[in-house]
Amino acid sequence: MALLQNAGTLLGKELRTELRSRELVTTTFVFILMVVVLFSFTFDPTSAESRRFGPGLLWIAFLFAASIMLQPSFLREQTNDTLSALRLAVSDPFAIFLAKLAANTIFLLLTEVLLLPIFAVLYNVAIWRVAPQLLLVLFAGSVGVSVAGTAISAISSQARMRELLLPLLLLPLLTPVLIASTEATAALLADDPVLRWDWLRFLFAFDVVFLTALWLFGEYLLEE
Amino acid sequence: MSAALAPLKLRFENVEKRYGSLLALRRLSLQIEHGQAVVLVGRNGSGKTTLLRIAAGLIRPSSGRVILSDEAEGPRARVGFVAHQTMLYDELTAEENLFLFARLHGIRKPAPRVEELLGEAGLRERRASLVRTFSRGMRQRLTIARALLEQPSLLLLDEPGTGLDVPGLLWLAGTLRRLRDAGCALVMSLHGQSELSALATRAIRLEAGAVAADSAVTGAVEPVLQVAGA
Amino acid sequence: MTETQSSARSSGVPWLSTIVVIALMVAAGYAAFFVAPTERTMGVIQRIFYFHATSAMTGFVAFLICFIANIAYLFTRREKWDWLGVSAAEVGVAFTTVVLVTGPIWAHPVWGIWWTWDARLTSTFVLWLLYISYLLLRDMVESADRRAILSAVFGIFAFLDVPLVYGSIRWWRTQHPQPVLFGGSGSGLDPEMRAVFYFCWITLLALMTLILRQRYLFERLRHDVEELRNEVEAR
């Protein structure tokens, strides 16, 4: 249907733009890497300690990185007022949100996947045996971050102090995602790794709730 | 023009737009028909841009109704809009921009149309250049080309001559004339480009958000244009 | 003009309601400290529970009102819903602050620690942060229309998040248990205690309604003044 087609077209645009400049993924990756390194100074990264603190640190780093990476999502559309062009061209404004949240999920996931092996090496954590499951958890968590994050990006881009406001609005909202993702990740890095479907289902519920809210109310965010 | 242009009425019924306590448009009512070329004149801040953006559907009126075509909730008529800002993606090439918007508008096989417009706008050689490298005049041409993608039945232009050189203006005037003669309704706000004001079949002067003069009422276009110095 | 006049009239201090609420508060205070039986293990300090838990519930009611106002605003675009929304959010934050402050006051004499990350208190903290963010967002948007829409949408998101926050924190705590300080959800209340509890809650609800109404009227007054000022400037 037109909604998905438009979302697909716009997603193509987002990906093409990022492919050309690679600015989002590279800066986000470096940022997360920096956080991971800095954290190593705050506790003794033995294997046992890493498995205790690692998942939390990882997801905190992802959340902070996302708060930065999500800024340009809607800000970019303000430079030449391309947002108005999109609103005129697209019959359902939700397509704009869908495209951006898909793009943001992909960018976030990409940086996470690039970072995970580095994290595993630096902190002596075994990830390879649970790689596919970890990927699933990363995906579920990243979708949650992107759904809420894209909405908040649309909101904060219209306010003052937007760089500070975005994390302020987003991080409390993402508390459930942080908890669920950290728990699921920790369970996979434990001695007896287990995939926590209960937390995954919870993440799924979070995604559905916010996606629905975005679908219902998102167009009001784009109005003038 | 391949697609026939449907008869179009754009009607504003007591449209009001307030920003806080600032009244940008006051209970404005007007009707624009199929084939009319309306020139909007007025000082800065008189409401021209607001009127155009409301007609385009970008701004939601505080009160009143805007009706496009005959049905109140009719399907979106094909509306083209040229705004103050280019509404183009700097990081995409000229043809990427056109393809993007063509696809979003639902044009099935966009290639021939994009080709045609690039040619008309004189941008064929620069089709694969990033818009970021374009001059102001070229961006304006591309923006106009983009507005024409769908072969609109209503074309709204906010000071479209800005940045255009003489050949560009001549091209625009010629294109608008053709569109008008084919039945497209044109509404453009001008700030004194005589090439374009010569096209007008109707002139409306806005003052402080209300219609101060309308040649459809007074009978003559020139006097309305002249008072505002257009 | 008549609207301005009538709001000027009703923005005066509502003497009767205020006296009633003050009386109720005094009665509730008396009930909590003298009528309710002393709790076996914790002693006198436990009495703060009558205001701690009830403030939490009252704050939640305020946030619910905010949520309803947000939805109403998006559908009707009538400013009064925006006024109600911000008033309810502020009142909710006030009551939630009481919860966060009385928590440590209760915890310290009994358990020797000021704070514990127990499920309910932690969730309340996140709730507090969410609505503080709501208020901060409003401060950062100048245009009244945009402010109303943006905060309405954020308010809806925040409220929808609340069950998810409480749920996830509680579930997480069941896996990483901590001593539950303020009585688990299953802890029963003595019938006398229950009576005092509900009386305190009704009192706080009355207080909430009073403050909410005043705050709403103040917001309306502020809007009227702004409008008058603009009218004058336009001349």
Side-chain angles (χ1 to χ4, degrees):
Chain A
M1 1 120 52
L3 172 66
L4 291 176
Q5 268 179 331
N6 281 346
T9 307
L10 285 173
L11 176 60
K13 184 261 301 177
E14 301 273 334
L15 293 176
R16 177 172 309 173
T17 308
E18 178 55 22
L19 207 61
R20 275 197 193 139
S21 64
R22 284 184 293 275
E23 50 190 26
L24 282 179
V25 175
T26 43
T27 35
T28 309
F29 175 76
V30 172
F31 178 83
I32 303 181
L33 188 59
M34 211 166 48
V35 173
V36 165
V37 170
L38 286 177
F39 255 105
S40 73
F41 303 139
T42 62
F43 64 97
D44 186 13
T46 63
S47 184
E49 291 282 292
S50 301
R51 273 178 291 148
R52 258 181 83 199
F53 292 114
L57 128 72
L58 211 55
W59 279 98
I60 295 263
F62 292 157
L63 283 190
F64 286 168
S67 309
I68 298 178
M69 194 201 80
L70 287 163
Q71 303 270 1
S73 204
F74 277 91
L75 274 180
R76 270 182 186 170
E77 307 283 350
Q78 283 180 0
T79 16
N80 293 329
D81 196 19
T82 40
L83 187 61
S84 293
L86 293 183
R87 288 171 61 207
L88 285 173
V90 160
S91 44
D92 188 343
F94 188 54
I96 302 175
F97 285 108
L98 262 184
K100 284 186 184 289
L101 84 87
N104 289 329
T105 306
I106 292 172
F107 299 147
L108 206 55
L109 206 50
L110 201 55
T111 43
E112 291 166 3
V113 164
L114 287 174
L115 194 94
L116 214 51
I118 299 180
F119 169 77
V121 165
L122 290 178
Y123 285 76
N124 290 303
V125 186
I127 57 165
W128 301 109
R129 54 189 180 159
V130 287
Q133 294 94 320
L134 261 180
L135 220 66
L136 182 58
V137 172
L138 286 180
F139 177 73
S142 303
V143 170
V145 173
S146 292
V147 174
T150 303
I152 299 299
S153 172
I155 292 176
S156 68
S157 67
Q158 300 178 50
R160 290 196 330 262
M161 306 229 14
R162 49 190 69 139
E163 289 81 13
L164 209 52
L165 196 62
L166 198 153
L168 212 66
L169 296 175
L170 185 59
L171 294 176
L173 222 48
L174 288 179
T175 314
V177 173
L178 177 63
I179 294 177
S181 305
T182 306
E183 286 296 294
T185 307
L188 286 174
L189 297 180
D191 284 324
D192 282 313
V194 59
L195 183 58
R196 296 290 302 270
W197 282 107
D198 51 353
W199 285 117
L200 276 175
R201 275 196 298 267
F202 182 85
L203 279 172
F204 181 65
F206 181 93
D207 298 341
V208 168
V209 167
F210 279 87
L211 202 60
T212 311
L214 190 55
W215 176 60
L216 286 172
F217 303 111
E219 59 177 294
Y220 300 125
L221 295 178
L222 302 181
E223 268 178 21
E224 277 169 38
Chain B
M1 295 281 164
S2 40
L5 292 172
L8 176 110
K9 280 197 205 12
L10 169 67
R11 185 156 62 220
F12 273 46
E13 284 177 10
N14 292 319
V15 168
E16 203 174 74
K17 180 64 185 175
R18 31 175 64 235
Y19 290 103
S21 312
L22 172 71
L23 215 45
L25 284 187
R26 304 166 186 275
R27 316 216 78 209
L28 193 133
S29 295
L30 54 78
Q31 184 163 302
I32 293 169
E33 315 262 348
H34 176 57
Q36 279 187 336
V38 181
V39 166
L40 274 183
V41 291
R43 290 209 307 259
N44 286 333
S46 52
K48 308 194 298 285
T49 298
T50 310
L51 193 156
L52 287 170
R53 289 184 84 89
I54 290 183
L58 289 172
I59 295 182
R60 182 201 174 108
S62 308
S63 63
R65 284 202 310 173
V66 177
I67 301 162
L68 201 52
S69 156
D70 281 344
E71 307 107 294
E73 261 118 354
R76 293 166 60 128
R78 300 193 307 270
V79 179
F81 186 42
V82 175
H84 274 304
Q85 295 193 279
T86 62
M87 303 198 293
L88 294 168
Y89 286 102
D90 284 342
E91 330 81 53
L92 296 180
T93 66
E95 61 181 345
E96 281 168 352
N97 267 283
L98 289 179
F99 269 107
L100 172 68
F101 289 107
R103 288 202 186 94
L104 290 177
H105 278 297
I107 299 176
R108 286 199 179 285
K109 289 202 173 21
R113 185 79 185 122
V114 169
E115 196 56 45
E116 192 186 338
L117 285 169
L118 282 173
E120 277 186 39
L123 293 172
R124 266 215 191 100
E125 286 103 56
R126 299 295 301 275
R127 68 200 299 158
S129 306
L130 297 180
V131 170
R132 195 183 26 235
T133 63
F134 279 20
S135 66
R136 183 71 183 87
M138 289 163 71
R139 290 179 206 220
Q140 192 68 1
R141 290 174 188 240
L142 188 58
T143 277
I144 294 167
R146 190 266 310 278
L148 299 173
L149 269 171
E150 262 194 317
Q151 284 155 330
S153 38
L154 172 63
L155 191 55
L156 305 162
L157 308 114
D158 203 347
E159 298 180 24
T162 321
L164 285 179
D165 52 10
V166 173
L169 266 174
L170 286 173
W171 164 66
L172 178 59
T175 307
L176 292 179
R177 180 169 292 115
R178 262 185 296 126
L179 282 169
R180 179 198 67 188
D181 295 339
C184 176
L186 301 176
V187 185
M188 62 187 136
S189 78
L190 292 183
H191 234 37
Q193 284 99 33
S194 55
E195 293 286 349
L196 298 174
S197 50
L199 292 166
T201 60
R202 180 176 172 190
I204 296 178
R205 177 155 49 89
L206 289 185
E207 249 168 52
V211 174
D214 187 346
S215 69
V217 171
T218 63
V221 168
E222 276 307 307
V224 179
L225 289 179
Q226 258 163 17
V227 174
Chain C
M1 277 325 261
T2 9
E3 210 194 303
T4 324
Q5 284 166 353
S6 68
S7 64
R9 226 182 297 137
S10 54
S11 283
V13 181
W15 289 112
L16 185 59
S17 317
T18 311
I19 290 174
V20 167
V21 170
I22 293 180
L24 277 175
M25 296 282 302
V26 169
Y30 180 81
F33 282 95
F34 298 108
V35 171
T38 311
E39 212 266 348
R40 240 171 309 132
T41 46
M42 289 185 267
V44 177
I45 196 67
Q46 180 271 349
R47 294 172 187 277
I48 219 173
F49 158 80
Y50 296 110
F51 293 105
H52 172 85
T54 47
S55 288
M57 289 152 70
T58 311
F60 186 82
V61 171
F63 291 139
L64 179 62
I65 294 175
C66 179
F67 178 64
I68 294 171
N70 288 334
I71 294 189
Y73 179 79
L74 286 181
F75 286 130
T76 67
R77 301 304 171 95
R78 305 277 307 272
E79 297 162 303
K80 62 178 185 181
W81 294 111
D82 181 50
W83 303 334
L84 183 60
V86 63
S87 310
E90 282 186 12
V91 170
V93 167
F95 277 96
T96 311
T97 310
V98 168
V99 178
L100 295 178
V101 166
T102 52
I105 292 179
W106 185 1
H108 194 242
V110 180
W111 289 282
I113 43 173
W114 285 111
W115 183 264
T116 171
W117 293 96
D118 99 328
R120 279 194 305 226
L121 212 52
T122 310
S123 306
T124 308
F125 204 170
V126 177
L127 183 67
W128 186 85
L129 284 172
L130 271 173
Y131 281 91
I132 289 279
S133 296
Y134 171 95
L135 295 174
L136 279 170
L137 169 63
R138 291 186 66 98
D139 274 342
M140 295 296 148
V141 183
E142 250 124 47
S143 150
D145 291 326
R146 290 321 296 165
R147 178 171 58 224
I149 292 186
L150 295 179
S151 56
V153 176
F154 182 73
I156 290 173
F157 275 57
F159 192 78
L160 290 175
D161 202 36
V162 171
L164 293 165
V165 168
Y166 274 80
S168 62
I169 292 180
R170 195 164 67 159
W171 201 343
W172 169 62
R173 271 289 168 237
T174 61
Q175 269 126 63
H176 308 270
Q178 276 232 347
V180 179
L181 298 195
F182 304 123
S185 43
S187 67
L189 278 179
D190 206 56
E192 267 184 328
M193 289 178 154
R194 193 177 301 148
V196 174
F197 182 81
Y198 282 112
F199 181 62
C200 286
W201 189 28
I202 307 262
T203 304
L204 284 183
L205 283 175
L207 178 62
M208 179 200 83
T209 312
L210 181 66
I211 302 178
L212 186 61
R213 186 170 170 276
Q214 289 308 105
R215 180 64 185 83
Y216 171 84
L217 292 173
F218 175 70
E219 193 66 27
R220 189 171 73 176
L221 194 62
R222 190 194 283 179
H223 168 263
D224 290 341
V225 166
E226 197 60 38
E227 216 157 75
L228 278 174
R229 182 182 301 154
N230 284 314
E231 239 174 83
V232 167
E233 269 170 20
R235 302 243 178 95

